[in-house]
């Protein structure tokens, strides 16, 4: 009976290995529904920035701190229908930028969007919105925004930029180690972008910063660099070199933003720690556990076969002896 038990256990181990690899693995290799609320903090020292206080516009200098908060919207996710049901999760994201010396609010936005659970890319959803403080507007999100795909590759991805409301390519640059993790570095270059602002707000800016100007636009440049842990697609570090100029049609121009935002050391450390834990879990479920169970199953089956063959050999030897001893005996003859 021993070989039969081993054979059954071996077959069971192979079944579990296949289940982890082809059933459980794909389910854990995607954004969960019960994602915990997360925050990332970036700072921009020696920044030049526009600040509006009681209707007065001024260009100041100092250190800025940006805090982005990501929260899952479980109710909206549960209400998703059609192609989004089971494929997407809804996130509500908010950002606040303050000057660190006074803690005064400089800018803020909030938004809701649907993300593909596997790729992390934004999906078309009729209830997505963006609120920049002056109004809540419709927005057509696409591309990567707050995350890269599980199994990020060394290739070009499209990252959505909130200021120009469009995607621009982010090119793979190199592999770099951060906090003991191997990361992929991608860089996105935005040059000469146009930031859409309400007409009445633009007139206020022109009137106070470029007196006499009647029309103009905000021209936006950004060099965005992201360091991504490839197994999970999580951002480990982000840096944005932002520049905005208020340009009048007359040709006059005023710099209203010149800032380099970089994740703080604490944010980099916590992002790396979270990505490392998630990476280990994914590797155990999708790689090491299936391999281990498959090897164990094959070993048990091999042992069962060996035991069965030995048992069969012991049973056949006495039968052969008995058959030989019961045969005709030689007859003696006398001459």
């Amino acid at each position: 009976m021993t070989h039969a038990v081993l054979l059954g256990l071996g077959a069971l181990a192979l079944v579990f290995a296949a289940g982890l690899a082809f059933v459980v693995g794909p389910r854990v290799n995607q954004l969960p529904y019960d994602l915990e609320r997360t925050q990332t903090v970036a700072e921009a020292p020696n920044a030049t920035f526009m600040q509006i206080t009681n209707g007065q516009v001024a260009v100041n200098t100092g250190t800025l701190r940006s805090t982005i908060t990501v929260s899952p919207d479980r109710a909206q996710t549960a209400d998703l229908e059609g192609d989004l049901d089971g494929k997407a999760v809804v996130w509500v994201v908010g950002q606040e930028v303050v000057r660190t010396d006074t803690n005064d609010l400089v800018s803020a936005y909030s938004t809701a969007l649907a993300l593909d659970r596997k790729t992390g890319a934004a999906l078309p959803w009729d209830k997505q919105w963006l609120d920049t403080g002056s109004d809540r507007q419709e927005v057509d999100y696409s591309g990567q925004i707050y995350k890269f795909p599980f199994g990020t590759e060394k290739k070009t991805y499209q990252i959505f930029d909130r200021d120009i409301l469009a995607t621009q390519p982010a090119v793979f640059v190199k592999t770099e180690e951060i906090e003991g993790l191997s990361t992929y570095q991608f860089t996105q270059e935005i040059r000469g972008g146009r930031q859409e602002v309400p007409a009445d707000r633009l007139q206020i800016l022109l009137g106070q910063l470029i007196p006499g100007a009647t029309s103009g636009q905000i021209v936006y440049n950004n060099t965005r660099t992201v360091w991504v842990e490839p197994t999970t697609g999580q951002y480990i570090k982000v840096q944005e070199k932002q520049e905005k100029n208020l340009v009048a049609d007359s040709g006059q121009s005023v710099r209203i933003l010149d800032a380099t935002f970089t994740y703080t050391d604490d944010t980099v450390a916590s992002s790396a720690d979270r990505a490392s834990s998630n990476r280990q879990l994914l590797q155990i479920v999708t790689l090491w556990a299936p391999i281990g169970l498959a090897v164990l199953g094959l070993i048990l089956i091999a042992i069962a076969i060996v035991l069965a063959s030995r048992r069969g050999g012991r049973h056949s030897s006495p039968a052969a002896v008995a058959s030989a001893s019961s045969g005709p005996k030689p007859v003696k003859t006398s001459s």
Side-chain angles (χ1 to χ4, degrees):
M1 289 295 295
T2 302
H3 71 280
V5 173
L6 292 176
L7 186 63
L9 290 175
L12 189 61
L14 292 178
V15 169
F16 276 117
L20 284 175
F22 300 109
V23 179
V24 179
R27 292 183 178 179
V28 300
N29 209 22
Q30 57 186 349
L31 287 171
Y33 291 119
D34 57 348
L35 180 76
E36 295 183 359
R37 178 176 176 269
T38 60
Q39 277 192 336
T40 57
V41 178
E43 290 189 347
N46 303 315
T48 298
F49 56 93
M50 180 182 68
Q51 190 171 1
I52 302 177
T53 306
N54 298 324
Q56 297 300 307
V57 183
V59 177
N60 300 317
T61 58
T63 297
L64 297 178
R65 179 185 297 118
S66 165
T67 303
I68 295 179
T69 303
V70 175
S71 302
D73 191 327
R74 294 180 178 86
Q76 288 278 26
T77 298
D79 289 339
L80 293 175
E81 300 176 343
D83 294 338
L84 296 179
D85 186 15
K87 181 181 180 181
V89 290
V90 175
W91 283 3
V92 175
V93 183
Q95 181 193 39
E96 287 188 347
V97 178
V98 301
R99 53 184 299 177
T100 58
D101 57 344
T102 64
N103 210 37
D104 289 340
L105 182 67
V106 175
S107 65
Y109 81 88
S110 57
T111 189
L113 69 165
L115 300 178
D116 188 296
R117 297 181 65 202
K118 178 66 176 178
T119 68
L123 294 172
W125 180 44
D126 59 4
K127 294 183 180 180
Q128 57 193 353
W129 52 267
L130 172 64
D131 191 336
T132 57
S134 55
D135 63 343
R136 176 174 289 199
Q137 62 190 88
E138 295 182 359
V139 57
D140 294 324
Y141 282 118
S142 61
Q144 315 301 139
I145 305 180
Y146 304 106
K147 187 185 179 301
F148 266 43
F150 288 91
T152 296
E153 301 178 48
K154 298 177 180 179
K155 67 177 188 180
T156 298
Y157 289 89
Q158 298 292 322
I159 295 181
F160 188 91
D161 184 272
R162 183 182 50 80
D163 285 299
I164 62 174
L165 300 178
T167 61
Q168 290 290 317
V171 179
F172 172 77
V173 178
K174 63 180 179 178
T175 300
E176 184 175 342
E177 184 172 304
I178 298 179
E179 295 288 329
L181 285 177
S182 177
T183 67
Y184 291 173
Q185 179 186 327
F186 298 87
T187 298
Q188 178 191 57
E189 298 279 358
I190 299 174
R191 295 291 179 266
R194 300 295 189 268
Q195 182 182 3
E196 296 292 333
V197 295
D200 56 344
R201 179 182 175 87
L202 182 61
Q203 288 303 315
I204 292 174
L205 301 182
L206 289 169
Q208 296 194 36
L209 297 180
I210 310 179
T214 58
S215 61
Q217 58 190 340
I218 295 178
V219 180
Y220 166 74
N221 300 317
N222 191 359
T223 299
R224 176 181 285 114
T225 305
V226 297
W227 287 262
V228 179
E229 195 291 304
T231 301
T232 62
Q234 292 177 227
Y235 288 172
I236 304 302
K237 180 180 177 181
V238 177
Q239 182 181 81
E240 295 191 25
K241 297 181 179 180
Q242 299 184 12
E243 178 186 296
K244 292 181 182 179
N245 295 293
L246 178 65
V247 181
D249 287 352
S250 62
Q252 294 173 283
S253 176
V254 174
R255 180 72 51 83
I256 59 174
L257 179 65
D258 189 350
T260 299
F261 288 92
T262 307
Y263 272 10
T264 63
D265 290 343
D266 286 344
T267 294
V268 172
S270 62
S271 298
D273 183 65
R274 188 166 58 251
S276 178
S277 298
N278 292 337
R279 177 175 175 269
Q280 290 177 5
L281 176 61
L282 288 173
Q283 288 185 330
I284 289 173
V285 174
T286 62
L287 181 63
W288 299 119
I291 290 176
L293 285 171
V295 170
L296 176 61
L298 292 175
I299 291 174
L300 291 175
I301 291 173
I303 293 174
I305 292 173
V306 171
L307 291 177
S309 63
R310 288 181 178 178
R311 183 178 179 86
R314 286 196 298 269
H315 287 171
S316 61
S317 180
V321 172
S323 176
S325 62
S326 62
K329 295 181 179 179
V331 179
K332 291 185 178 180
T333 59
S334 57
S335 56

